[in-house]
Amino acid sequence: MPTSGRQAQDEGAAMAGSGRAKTAGGTAPGRSGKEPAGGQDAPAAIGLRVKRLRKERELTQRQLAEPAYTAAYVSTLEAGKARPSEAALRHFAERLGVAHEELSTGRPTHIATSLRMELADAQRILAVEDAADARAVYERVLGRAQEYGLAQERAAALVGLGECALETGELADALSRFAAAERALADEPLPARARAVRGRSVAHFLAGELRYACYLLESAIDELNTSGLHDPGALLQLYTASIAPYMDMGAHARAAQAAELALALVPQVADPALVAAMHRTVARTLLAEGRVDAAQASLARATELYEQLQIRTELAHCHWMRGYVCAQHDDLVQAEEALRTAHSMLVSRRAALYVSQVEVELADVLRRRGKSAEAAELLGNLLAGLQPGRGAVHAGGAHRLLGLIAEEAGDAGAAEAHYATALSLLEQTGAAGDLADICRLLGDLLRGEGRTEAALNAYRTGLGHRAEPGTTTLGPAPARPPFAPWT
């Protein structure tokens, strides 16, 4: 059957491609049941799909080709020896009864939309139900996104899996997932990678690697602010995540600056979960500045948003922070109530690492309320279940409290051992304020026993940590946005 000029061009190009393939020393791969190398839109992959669909529909090459093309052209395409033109793809897709996208890429119509809906469902499950159930959905999405070469959906599933791992305290798995997400989005602008960067920094922070957590966040903030990628949502995530490691490192001025910039970005951010996280985290800087009413108001706003969103882990964190605020102002009854509420919610979520962190705060309140035996039992169980490399800051805090309990009971030897263990753990993290406090406690204990030289050494160590370069100042601060975020 005669062909049009455009169709003749297609077939001529196909024949030329066939000749080049032969002189290159190889023919197209035969059917092996898998897509060939080169991607799902490679000529060999398209050819295999055309052949498979044609045979499933019991069509001959001539029947598929007519009336626009020849059987020889179909044979060339099925052998993977040439790439079909857009017009040819649309012709074959219509004859085979499939969408053009499915034939050209191997992806079913609307697969990306379907996977995004599953991702939203997984995020909801993680927020209100169980991390294990959410993980199963994310794993399924990851497999399908990989199968169809959907980089954005694959990265989103990896980030979701990383967040599941954070929830359950599996920090090594979380780091691996977030790093894989960043690699999947390596060619995308930084705002697309912000969630993965934030996740990786949080995992390092929870592992006690405070300085590296700050480095990751500051590097990303610098890149955003100096490259013109002014994405308010990405910046809000990064500034918010930087506050906790700054505070633990004693870099209070840097934390306050991050809180100020985060608050200024809020009017430009539509995601209520990001806004809630900012309010919950900023409360800590407000408290450090003595602005108790402002901290309480910020926590109330975060709680309101999390209740609306039904994000139970974050809601538990609000109760946790409220307990911390009450404890700082000696309202120990309210502090114990809030911390027990947070503890119960996190236990029900099986958020093991966060549970241990709340237990340290709760044990401190119990000790101050005269319930030292209960506090010691809580801390002993915590340390027995805390794996190495997980929560060094909070393990150090647990030993500090056990040291105080032992000292109050008159057991100086046990107190010294706990303080020394706490010091060893905290030295790995760079938590300047906590290190200085442990050195003070140890120095006071040693001085009380008449060991003056040892006490002086402990005090000097504490002062050294307070003054250590990079502890209270981490080097140049990240570049501020080149615009006023509130305008």
Side-chain angles (χ1 to χ4, degrees):
M1 178 171 287
T3 58
S4 68
R6 174 58 183 272
Q7 292 154 0
Q9 274 188 333
D10 291 341
E11 297 199 10
M15 293 303 109
S18 174
R20 285 193 297 272
K22 287 177 182 177
T23 57
T27 59
R31 179 169 181 173
S32 63
K34 294 182 179 179
E35 296 287 4
Q40 296 208 19
D41 60 349
I46 294 172
L48 281 177
R49 281 195 293 278
V50 170
K51 185 175 182 178
R52 173 177 57 79
L53 291 167
R54 177 179 64 77
K55 290 193 170 185
E56 285 175 1
R57 286 149 180 76
E58 299 182 348
L59 296 174
T60 65
Q61 290 179 336
R62 182 177 297 279
Q63 287 171 325
L64 177 61
E66 291 178 346
Y69 296 93
T70 66
Y73 180 52
V74 172
S75 178
T76 301
L77 296 185
E78 289 185 350
K81 296 176 181 177
R83 177 180 294 279
S85 68
E86 186 71 13
L89 276 172
R90 293 193 179 279
H91 167 79
F92 295 134
E94 182 179 354
R95 295 284 289 161
L96 292 166
V98 298
H100 165 262
E101 179 186 6
E102 183 171 353
L103 188 62
S104 60
T105 67
R107 300 169 189 156
T109 308
H110 308 310
I111 183 64
T113 301
S114 173
L115 292 184
R116 287 181 198 133
M117 291 174 65
E118 287 193 63
L119 286 166
D121 190 45
Q123 191 167 5
R124 180 195 63 78
I125 293 169
L126 179 60
V128 303
E129 296 179 28
D130 188 83
D133 293 337
R135 182 183 288 114
V137 180
Y138 281 127
E139 289 282 13
R140 183 169 67 247
V141 173
L142 178 62
R144 297 186 72 199
Q146 288 174 331
E147 178 183 356
Y148 295 115
L150 295 166
Q152 296 280 352
E153 289 71 21
R154 176 173 175 267
L158 286 165
V159 169
L161 287 166
E163 290 173 348
C164 289
L166 284 181
E167 177 96 355
T168 55
E170 299 164 276
L171 298 184
D173 184 44
L175 286 170
S176 173
R177 300 291 193 172
F178 289 128
E182 286 189 72
R183 289 194 298 272
L185 297 172
D187 295 330
E188 298 293 325
L190 179 56
R193 290 181 271 126
R195 191 173 157 205
V197 172
R198 174 208 167 271
R200 192 152 65 97
S201 74
V202 169
H204 282 292
F205 168 64
L206 292 174
E209 299 163 359
L210 308 187
R211 190 179 301 280
Y212 191 62
C214 291
Y215 164 76
L216 288 174
L217 294 165
E218 290 187 344
S219 298
I221 289 169
D222 260 335
E223 186 177 340
L224 280 170
N225 285 336
T226 59
S227 64
L229 298 172
H230 309 310
D231 185 293
L235 280 170
L236 186 63
Q237 287 186 69
L238 299 172
Y239 279 127
T240 298
S242 71
I243 291 172
Y246 280 154
M247 292 293 289
D248 281 357
M249 293 187 72
H252 294 162
R254 191 74 62 85
Q257 182 188 64
E260 172 198 351
L261 291 168
L263 282 164
L265 286 163
V266 166
Q268 302 177 53
V269 177
D271 186 341
L274 291 183
V275 174
M278 183 281 304
H279 279 297
R280 175 176 65 78
T281 308
V282 163
R284 189 174 173 188
T285 67
L286 296 172
L287 184 64
E289 295 170 353
R291 299 164 62 188
V292 181
D293 289 343
Q296 293 280 25
S298 209
L299 279 175
R301 180 58 180 150
T303 302
E304 178 187 356
L305 287 168
Y306 285 135
E307 284 176 342
Q308 292 171 3
L309 296 167
Q310 297 184 339
I311 304 180
R312 291 186 58 78
T313 297
E314 297 296 342
L315 189 57
H317 286 191
C318 289
H319 288 292
W320 173 5
M321 181 58 73
R322 183 171 289 107
Y324 175 78
V325 170
C326 291
Q328 293 299 301
H329 287 79
D330 295 322
D331 187 354
L332 300 182
V333 173
Q334 290 295 320
E336 181 179 345
E337 180 181 343
L339 290 169
R340 286 195 185 278
T341 299
H343 185 264
S344 176
M345 293 175 71
L346 291 168
V347 167
S348 71
R349 299 282 298 159
R350 290 182 279 187
L353 194 54
Y354 294 130
V355 166
S356 68
Q357 293 171 346
V358 172
E359 286 175 345
V360 173
E361 301 282 358
L362 179 57
D364 184 39
V365 170
L366 292 173
R367 181 191 68 84
R368 291 165 64 188
R369 293 199 68 194
K371 303 177 182 180
S372 293
E374 185 180 352
E377 181 181 3
L378 184 63
L379 293 168
N381 291 335
L382 180 162
L383 290 170
L386 199 61
Q387 298 175 13
R390 290 172 55 176
V393 171
H394 297 278
H399 280 289
R400 171 189 175 276
L401 287 173
L402 286 168
L404 284 169
I405 292 169
E407 189 172 356
E408 289 162 358
D411 189 344
E416 182 177 350
H418 282 300
Y419 291 151
T421 301
L423 183 59
S424 174
L425 285 165
L426 293 171
E427 280 179 328
Q428 303 169 28
T429 71
D434 292 339
L435 277 163
D437 180 58
I438 287 293
C439 290
R440 177 187 61 80
L441 289 171
L442 180 58
D444 289 349
L445 176 68
L446 295 170
R447 183 165 59 86
E449 292 187 307
R451 298 159 62 187
T452 306
E453 189 59 36
L456 286 172
N457 286 337
Y459 291 140
R460 290 189 193 103
T461 300
L463 289 170
H465 284 301
R466 270 296 189 192
E468 181 186 353
T471 325
T472 55
T473 174
L474 302 171
R480 292 180 69 100
F483 62 97
W486 47 86
T487 60

